[in-house]
Amino acid sequence: MDDVKSEGPKAAALKSIDPAALEMLLHADECGIETAFHRADHMKPCPIGETGACCRICSMGPCRLVGKDAESKVGICGADLPTIAARHFARQVAGGVSAHSDHGRDMAMTLHAVASGEAPGYKIKDEQKLAAVAGYMGIATAGREVDDIALDVADKALEQFGQPFGEIIYTRRATPKRQELWKKLKLTPRAIDREVAEVMHRTHEGVDLDAENILKSALRCSLADGWGGAMLSTDISDILFGTPSPLSSEVNLGVLKDDQVNVIVHGHEPTLSAMLVEASRDPVLIAEAKAAGAEGINLAGICCTSNEILMRYGIPAAGNFLHQELAVLTGAVEAMVVDVQCIMQALGPLAQRFHTQLITTSPKAKIPGAIHVEFDEHRAPETAAEIMRMAIANYKNRGPIHIPDYHEPLIAGFSHEYLNYMQGGFHRGSFRPLNDAIIAGRIRGLAGVVGCNNVRVTQDQGIVEMIKNFIARDIMVVVTGCAATAGAKAGYLSPEILDAAGPGLREVMEAIGIPPVLHLGSCVDNSRILTVLTQVATEGGLGEDIDDLPAVGLCPEWMCEKAIAIGTYFAASGAHVIFGVSSPVKASSVATGLMTKGWEAMVGGDLEFIPDWDEMLARSLELIDEKRAALKLKPYDPSQFGDSGDSPYFTAIRDYLASQDEVATVGSAVYPLAEGHSHDDGHTHDEAGHNHAEGDDR
Ligand code: BF8
Ligand code: SF4
């Protein structure tokens, strides 16, 4: 590790567009420490595996079908390239579905424990959402106790994983047309675990050997995520921790504090991170931190658990996937607390080079070199306090620190519910203004920009390029996951960014009172995009189903199997989806054709892989404009909308932000709250001393 040669500023510049990352990469060179960015230089992707041409399903192989005539070759068992590529892809989908869905299962187990009175640290925070979810599940609510309803909801949710008969209940939230199509094609998922198990079975040696049929099973499996595990996860998180509504915070490594006990929570599930939020605000623990010589406790997040607590509590985000090692490199992190998913094993040895305590908390996810403090929802507050105390005790061990001074303000916390509220008020929630704006051509279309970072491409570049170009061309953007963090770090989730939006989009956003780039949450919250698109499709004037909409879904910097599962369920739901980096089925033109033209003919959506950013943008615009033409909408013409003035709404937000030296990072709500959708009540103590009591936040 010590022989890392200096990259120098120029080489580093290719690795990220984020100045904080570049500064930390130079710092890593100075310290002689390697990161994923460095390792990517001497670990090139295997060209055979990368393109889906390697089969290692059985021990007669691995069989690698390469060369000019690869598509006419077969493996030992006779499996051809389309089968091999499709099998590998389907297994990636199953891996992704299992990850999101196991997360969803844990949320349902937590709800069960809360409703049974066995998890004293938690409570049901959003009864309105509970009632809505009970409604989707056909559970009676009238005259019943909240806990009884919640218990039924938890039971019903848990049934979705292993029910022997029937179909996943949330598929009924899709448009009637889509439900019919899925039924006709036998794509309606039956039970979450069953779909994962079935894909694993079909792709075992010698079972399903027809690429088209294998990929069809991948579509059904993915739907068990989007309309199953992930959607349940979002809904139950909202019930337990509150449905998000907009609030301000900050992002990037500069949110770490040189004089406070810094605790980073990294991973995915909100159960632990929400408890750490409470612990970080506990006056007793804050006093202990002060007694240890610090000014206080500073909690920040990385990856999607960060999004979970950013969306609901305004806890600042220290960064996205590729920031995890960089955060430790600051030397200022007393504890990095991880649960599941997207956690690099490299953190183990890296943390040992600093005073940072790497704390694993899930029995499913241990890391050599980490301290394991098992998290149990039945004694959650105690575990959170124990972890906080470990961090406080570690403060004195801090060596030299290097915190890059980059922190961008952002607005996060948009939910499907809030968008309805914003467009029609509490009692008349609607998507009418948005649909009308799309019909009129003020908004050209909709784009979801989601997913990961990947060291094979310049960090954040593809994501930010897409966001920037979309809003400039009057395309409204929703973001989730690490893409949301990337957009935020580049300033695209700040209200100031309205100035970068095209005139039509700007006018509409000002009228509705929302920014042009909406942070909808973590990766499981991509389910919010499904329900939003479904409502846009059924609101009227834009066809009947998601495949009628002028919309695209992009994952420019995808990295993991979860991203593949997400892309596949959007395609199966009728969306055109474009991924960057490289295609896991590139070796097979047949498999590629099945997932593009084949899926489009079957389900109206498809999945393309386009590594070049310019081509990705051009293809997105083409898809959006084709849909506009098919709907017989006016062609998009930016010249017909003039500059609009600043709305009082955004002026107020700008004044608010300008009035503070530093943006209050502890969940200051910047918009009026929707009735019944509560923020965490703890945001009464931001640093600037501004009080924001619930209900009067402005
Ligand atoms: O679930 S975007 S790198 S953190 S997988 Fe992972 Fe990808 Fe980030 Fe969130 Ni989503
Ligand atoms: Fe080779 Fe067939 Fe075995 Fe795959 S399943 S490794 S193609 S023999």
mmCIF file of all heavy atoms in Angstrom, residues 173-196:
data_model
loop_
_atom_site.group_PDB
_atom_site.id
_atom_site.type_symbol
_atom_site.label_atom_id
_atom_site.label_comp_id
_atom_site.label_asym_id
_atom_site.label_seq_id
_atom_site.Cartn_x
_atom_site.Cartn_y
_atom_site.Cartn_z
ATOM 1 N N ARG A 173 -51.427 -1.471 -7.696
ATOM 2 C CA ARG A 173 -51.246 -0.009 -7.746
ATOM 3 C C ARG A 173 -50.789 0.449 -9.134
ATOM 4 O O ARG A 173 -50.685 1.642 -9.388
ATOM 5 C CB ARG A 173 -50.243 0.433 -6.671
ATOM 6 C CG ARG A 173 -50.766 0.174 -5.258
ATOM 7 C CD ARG A 173 -49.725 0.462 -4.194
ATOM 8 N NE ARG A 173 -49.410 1.885 -4.097
ATOM 9 C CZ ARG A 173 -48.550 2.392 -3.223
ATOM 10 N NH1 ARG A 173 -47.927 1.586 -2.383
ATOM 11 N NH2 ARG A 173 -48.306 3.679 -3.194
ATOM 12 N N ALA A 174 -50.482 -0.501 -10.001
ATOM 13 C CA ALA A 174 -50.102 -0.128 -11.378
ATOM 14 C C ALA A 174 -51.366 0.274 -12.144
ATOM 15 O O ALA A 174 -52.485 0.051 -11.669
ATOM 16 C CB ALA A 174 -49.417 -1.312 -12.048
ATOM 17 N N THR A 175 -51.196 0.848 -13.318
ATOM 18 C CA THR A 175 -52.368 1.238 -14.115
ATOM 19 C C THR A 175 -53.145 -0.036 -14.491
ATOM 20 O O THR A 175 -52.555 -1.115 -14.608
ATOM 21 C CB THR A 175 -51.954 1.939 -15.427
ATOM 22 O OG1 THR A 175 -51.287 0.980 -16.257
ATOM 23 C CG2 THR A 175 -51.030 3.124 -15.186
ATOM 24 N N PRO A 176 -54.459 0.101 -14.704
ATOM 25 C CA PRO A 176 -55.242 -1.080 -15.094
ATOM 26 C C PRO A 176 -54.667 -1.745 -16.343
ATOM 27 O O PRO A 176 -54.592 -2.983 -16.434
ATOM 28 C CB PRO A 176 -56.637 -0.504 -15.373
ATOM 29 C CG PRO A 176 -56.698 0.773 -14.595
ATOM 30 C CD PRO A 176 -55.302 1.308 -14.540
ATOM 31 N N LYS A 177 -54.209 -0.923 -17.285
ATOM 32 C CA LYS A 177 -53.667 -1.469 -18.526
ATOM 33 C C LYS A 177 -52.414 -2.317 -18.259
ATOM 34 O O LYS A 177 -52.218 -3.384 -18.834
ATOM 35 C CB LYS A 177 -53.320 -0.296 -19.448
ATOM 36 C CG LYS A 177 -53.217 -0.676 -20.892
ATOM 37 C CD LYS A 177 -53.014 0.545 -21.748
ATOM 38 C CE LYS A 177 -52.461 0.148 -23.097
ATOM 39 N NZ LYS A 177 -51.932 1.281 -23.832
ATOM 40 N N ARG A 178 -51.574 -1.812 -17.379
ATOM 41 C CA ARG A 178 -50.331 -2.523 -17.059
ATOM 42 C C ARG A 178 -50.642 -3.840 -16.343
ATOM 43 O O ARG A 178 -50.050 -4.865 -16.629
ATOM 44 C CB ARG A 178 -49.471 -1.585 -16.188
ATOM 45 C CG ARG A 178 -48.135 -2.060 -15.775
ATOM 46 C CD ARG A 178 -46.993 -2.006 -16.758
ATOM 47 N NE ARG A 178 -47.127 -1.283 -17.981
ATOM 48 C CZ ARG A 178 -46.338 -1.490 -19.049
ATOM 49 N NH1 ARG A 178 -45.361 -2.377 -19.003
ATOM 50 N NH2 ARG A 178 -46.510 -0.798 -20.149
ATOM 51 N N GLN A 179 -51.592 -3.796 -15.425
ATOM 52 C CA GLN A 179 -51.952 -5.029 -14.709
ATOM 53 C C GLN A 179 -52.439 -6.098 -15.691
ATOM 54 O O GLN A 179 -52.095 -7.267 -15.561
ATOM 55 C CB GLN A 179 -53.049 -4.744 -13.681
ATOM 56 C CG GLN A 179 -52.592 -3.868 -12.530
ATOM 57 C CD GLN A 179 -53.714 -3.665 -11.514
ATOM 58 O OE1 GLN A 179 -54.324 -4.614 -11.060
ATOM 59 N NE2 GLN A 179 -53.991 -2.414 -11.178
ATOM 60 N N GLU A 180 -53.251 -5.660 -16.657
ATOM 61 C CA GLU A 180 -53.762 -6.585 -17.681
ATOM 62 C C GLU A 180 -52.621 -7.202 -18.478
ATOM 63 O O GLU A 180 -52.571 -8.398 -18.735
ATOM 64 C CB GLU A 180 -54.665 -5.807 -18.663
ATOM 65 C CG GLU A 180 -56.113 -5.734 -18.239
ATOM 66 C CD GLU A 180 -56.660 -7.116 -17.921
ATOM 67 O OE1 GLU A 180 -56.642 -7.966 -18.825
ATOM 68 O OE2 GLU A 180 -57.073 -7.333 -16.758
ATOM 69 N N LEU A 181 -51.692 -6.310 -18.880
ATOM 70 C CA LEU A 181 -50.562 -6.760 -19.694
ATOM 71 C C LEU A 181 -49.726 -7.789 -18.935
ATOM 72 O O LEU A 181 -49.349 -8.837 -19.470
ATOM 73 C CB LEU A 181 -49.712 -5.549 -20.095
ATOM 74 C CG LEU A 181 -48.504 -5.838 -20.977
ATOM 75 C CD1 LEU A 181 -48.951 -6.271 -22.372
ATOM 76 C CD2 LEU A 181 -47.596 -4.602 -21.098
ATOM 77 N N TRP A 182 -49.425 -7.455 -17.680
ATOM 78 C CA TRP A 182 -48.630 -8.401 -16.870
ATOM 79 C C TRP A 182 -49.344 -9.738 -16.748
ATOM 80 O O TRP A 182 -48.731 -10.795 -16.841
ATOM 81 C CB TRP A 182 -48.365 -7.817 -15.471
ATOM 82 C CG TRP A 182 -47.372 -6.704 -15.441
ATOM 83 C CD1 TRP A 182 -46.424 -6.413 -16.372
ATOM 84 C CD2 TRP A 182 -47.237 -5.724 -14.409
ATOM 85 N NE1 TRP A 182 -45.704 -5.305 -15.976
ATOM 86 C CE2 TRP A 182 -46.181 -4.868 -14.779
ATOM 87 C CE3 TRP A 182 -47.893 -5.478 -13.202
ATOM 88 C CZ2 TRP A 182 -45.772 -3.782 -13.992
ATOM 89 C CZ3 TRP A 182 -47.497 -4.413 -12.406
ATOM 90 C CH2 TRP A 182 -46.443 -3.573 -12.806
ATOM 91 N N LYS A 183 -50.651 -9.681 -16.540
ATOM 92 C CA LYS A 183 -51.422 -10.933 -16.415
ATOM 93 C C LYS A 183 -51.314 -11.740 -17.701
ATOM 94 O O LYS A 183 -51.033 -12.930 -17.688
ATOM 95 C CB LYS A 183 -52.894 -10.610 -16.140
ATOM 96 C CG LYS A 183 -53.208 -10.523 -14.678
ATOM 97 C CD LYS A 183 -54.709 -10.666 -14.445
ATOM 98 C CE LYS A 183 -55.094 -10.407 -13.012
ATOM 99 N NZ LYS A 183 -54.258 -9.606 -12.167
ATOM 100 N N LYS A 184 -51.542 -11.045 -18.818
ATOM 101 C CA LYS A 184 -51.528 -11.717 -20.112
ATOM 102 C C LYS A 184 -50.163 -12.386 -20.361
ATOM 103 O O LYS A 184 -50.077 -13.497 -20.872
ATOM 104 C CB LYS A 184 -51.832 -10.687 -21.201
ATOM 105 C CG LYS A 184 -52.174 -11.296 -22.549
ATOM 106 C CD LYS A 184 -52.526 -10.231 -23.565
ATOM 107 C CE LYS A 184 -51.309 -9.928 -24.391
ATOM 108 N NZ LYS A 184 -51.268 -8.720 -25.132
ATOM 109 N N LEU A 185 -49.112 -11.681 -19.978
ATOM 110 C CA LEU A 185 -47.757 -12.190 -20.238
ATOM 111 C C LEU A 185 -47.236 -13.097 -19.121
ATOM 112 O O LEU A 185 -46.104 -13.548 -19.167
ATOM 113 C CB LEU A 185 -46.791 -11.009 -20.406
ATOM 114 C CG LEU A 185 -47.023 -10.101 -21.611
ATOM 115 C CD1 LEU A 185 -46.231 -8.806 -21.473
ATOM 116 C CD2 LEU A 185 -46.628 -10.823 -22.897
ATOM 117 N N LYS A 186 -48.069 -13.299 -18.105
ATOM 118 C CA LYS A 186 -47.650 -14.061 -16.911
ATOM 119 C C LYS A 186 -46.417 -13.417 -16.253
ATOM 120 O O LYS A 186 -45.465 -14.091 -15.865
ATOM 121 C CB LYS A 186 -47.368 -15.524 -17.267
ATOM 122 C CG LYS A 186 -48.609 -16.276 -17.749
ATOM 123 C CD LYS A 186 -48.357 -17.777 -17.724
ATOM 124 C CE LYS A 186 -49.590 -18.628 -17.894
ATOM 125 N NZ LYS A 186 -50.539 -18.208 -18.938
ATOM 126 N N LEU A 187 -46.463 -12.118 -16.174
ATOM 127 C CA LEU A 187 -45.345 -11.391 -15.552
ATOM 128 C C LEU A 187 -45.689 -10.890 -14.151
ATOM 129 O O LEU A 187 -44.831 -10.322 -13.476
ATOM 130 C CB LEU A 187 -44.958 -10.180 -16.417
ATOM 131 C CG LEU A 187 -44.182 -10.461 -17.704
ATOM 132 C CD1 LEU A 187 -43.878 -9.163 -18.432
ATOM 133 C CD2 LEU A 187 -42.890 -11.209 -17.410
ATOM 134 N N THR A 188 -46.933 -11.065 -13.719
ATOM 135 C CA THR A 188 -47.281 -10.569 -12.376
ATOM 136 C C THR A 188 -46.529 -11.408 -11.343
ATOM 137 O O THR A 188 -46.693 -12.637 -11.313
ATOM 138 C CB THR A 188 -48.798 -10.690 -12.132
ATOM 139 O OG1 THR A 188 -49.478 -10.226 -13.295
ATOM 140 C CG2 THR A 188 -49.215 -9.879 -10.923
ATOM 141 N N PRO A 189 -45.709 -10.757 -10.524
ATOM 142 C CA PRO A 189 -44.936 -11.535 -9.544
ATOM 143 C C PRO A 189 -45.857 -12.115 -8.461
ATOM 144 O O PRO A 189 -46.823 -11.488 -8.064
ATOM 145 C CB PRO A 189 -43.969 -10.506 -8.963
ATOM 146 C CG PRO A 189 -44.633 -9.186 -9.180
ATOM 147 C CD PRO A 189 -45.444 -9.314 -10.429
ATOM 148 N N ARG A 190 -45.518 -13.306 -8.013
ATOM 149 C CA ARG A 190 -46.404 -14.014 -7.072
ATOM 150 C C ARG A 190 -45.980 -13.816 -5.627
ATOM 151 O O ARG A 190 -46.775 -13.458 -4.777
ATOM 152 C CB ARG A 190 -46.427 -15.485 -7.460
ATOM 153 C CG ARG A 190 -47.000 -15.667 -8.878
ATOM 154 C CD ARG A 190 -46.460 -16.864 -9.590
ATOM 155 N NE ARG A 190 -45.021 -16.816 -9.759
ATOM 156 C CZ ARG A 190 -44.310 -17.786 -10.305
ATOM 157 N NH1 ARG A 190 -44.900 -18.886 -10.720
ATOM 158 N NH2 ARG A 190 -42.998 -17.665 -10.428
ATOM 159 N N ALA A 191 -44.754 -14.058 -5.322
ATOM 160 C CA ALA A 191 -44.233 -13.803 -3.974
ATOM 161 C C ALA A 191 -42.762 -13.454 -4.159
ATOM 162 O O ALA A 191 -42.101 -13.979 -5.052
ATOM 163 C CB ALA A 191 -44.388 -15.027 -3.094
ATOM 164 N N ILE A 192 -42.278 -12.562 -3.318
ATOM 165 C CA ILE A 192 -40.948 -12.004 -3.555
ATOM 166 C C ILE A 192 -39.872 -13.092 -3.515
ATOM 167 O O ILE A 192 -39.090 -13.247 -4.458
ATOM 168 C CB ILE A 192 -40.644 -10.886 -2.535
ATOM 169 C CG1 ILE A 192 -41.670 -9.755 -2.678
ATOM 170 C CG2 ILE A 192 -39.233 -10.359 -2.719
ATOM 171 C CD1 ILE A 192 -41.759 -8.819 -1.480
ATOM 172 N N ASP A 193 -39.851 -13.850 -2.416
ATOM 173 C CA ASP A 193 -38.806 -14.873 -2.296
ATOM 174 C C ASP A 193 -38.933 -15.906 -3.418
ATOM 175 O O ASP A 193 -37.937 -16.425 -3.916
ATOM 176 C CB ASP A 193 -38.911 -15.596 -0.936
ATOM 177 C CG ASP A 193 -38.574 -14.670 0.221
ATOM 178 O OD1 ASP A 193 -38.079 -13.552 -0.030
ATOM 179 O OD2 ASP A 193 -38.808 -15.067 1.381
ATOM 180 N N ARG A 194 -40.167 -16.193 -3.795
ATOM 181 C CA ARG A 194 -40.404 -17.187 -4.838
ATOM 182 C C ARG A 194 -39.795 -16.748 -6.167
ATOM 183 O O ARG A 194 -39.191 -17.554 -6.874
ATOM 184 C CB ARG A 194 -41.907 -17.411 -5.003
ATOM 185 C CG ARG A 194 -42.225 -18.392 -6.101
ATOM 186 C CD ARG A 194 -43.692 -18.698 -6.149
ATOM 187 N NE ARG A 194 -43.959 -19.640 -7.232
ATOM 188 C CZ ARG A 194 -45.177 -20.080 -7.536
ATOM 189 N NH1 ARG A 194 -46.212 -19.667 -6.835
ATOM 190 N NH2 ARG A 194 -45.347 -20.917 -8.525
ATOM 191 N N GLU A 195 -39.953 -15.472 -6.492
ATOM 192 C CA GLU A 195 -39.416 -15.012 -7.784
ATOM 193 C C GLU A 195 -37.885 -15.074 -7.786
ATOM 194 O O GLU A 195 -37.274 -15.432 -8.788
ATOM 195 C CB GLU A 195 -39.904 -13.595 -8.113
ATOM 196 C CG GLU A 195 -41.427 -13.437 -8.239
ATOM 197 C CD GLU A 195 -42.105 -14.386 -9.231
ATOM 198 O OE1 GLU A 195 -41.408 -15.006 -10.065
ATOM 199 O OE2 GLU A 195 -43.333 -14.533 -9.165
ATOM 200 N N VAL A 196 -37.278 -14.719 -6.645
ATOM 201 C CA VAL A 196 -35.805 -14.802 -6.559
ATOM 202 C C VAL A 196 -35.366 -16.259 -6.668
ATOM 203 O O VAL A 196 -34.472 -16.603 -7.454
ATOM 204 C CB VAL A 196 -35.299 -14.173 -5.232
ATOM 205 C CG1 VAL A 196 -33.804 -14.415 -5.063
ATOM 206 C CG2 VAL A 196 -35.602 -12.684 -5.192
#
